[in-house]
Amino acid sequence: MKKIIIAFFILVSSLLFCDDMKLTLSIDSQAIKENESVSMVLSIENGSNDGIVIDGIENFNILQQGTSQSYSFINGKASSKIEQNYIIMAKKSGKFTLKAIAIVTGK
């Protein structure tokens, strides 16, 4: 069977939506077999999912997608977390790179 290798990176612009925004892209397996699906999570802490793109996602079929959000206010400090959950499958065999990128047009 052919294997599909997925590399993933996190690129965060220095001009973020807020000073403590954190952007994380995680995937449950970096080497999968052909016709096998994989779970991927894009996590955005203390920011918005507006202007966030996943570069390289065009090489995958998105089989399932969902979003969850949470907010907390502890000791006077507010925080938020958005998780975009995906089940993806590569369209063909090969090596692919996925990058989560924050695109900021102004502050």
Side-chain angles (χ1 to χ4, degrees):
M1 287 212 169
K2 295 181 182 178
K3 283 194 175 180
I4 300 165
I5 306 296
I6 304 169
F8 63 97
F9 299 94
I10 301 164
L11 299 177
V12 181
S13 172
S14 60
L15 300 171
L16 295 175
F17 300 104
C18 61
D19 293 335
D20 57 349
M21 180 179 160
K22 183 178 176 185
L23 182 62
T24 307
L25 182 64
S26 60
I27 198 161
D28 65 359
S29 179
Q30 290 187 21
I32 58 174
K33 295 177 183 167
E34 195 170 7
N35 297 321
E36 192 174 71
S37 63
V38 65
S39 176
M40 179 180 73
V41 178
L42 174 62
S43 178
I44 307 147
E45 294 182 38
N46 299 319
S48 168
N49 58 353
D50 294 336
I52 305 292
V53 295
I54 301 173
D55 187 39
I57 197 69
E58 65 275 1
N59 296 310
F60 296 85
N61 290 316
I62 298 174
L63 305 176
Q64 198 171 14
Q65 180 179 355
T67 302
S68 65
Q69 297 182 9
S70 64
Y71 301 95
S72 65
F73 195 76
I74 301 172
N75 294 330
K77 183 174 180 182
S79 63
S80 66
K81 185 174 187 177
I82 301 169
E83 286 189 344
Q84 294 179 324
N85 302 290
Y86 301 89
I87 303 294
I88 59 173
M89 182 184 294
K91 292 180 178 178
K92 60 183 179 182
S93 298
K95 290 185 179 185
F96 302 103
T97 301
L98 293 169
K99 300 176 187 176
I101 304 172
I103 299 174
V104 180
T105 56
K107 248 187 170 179

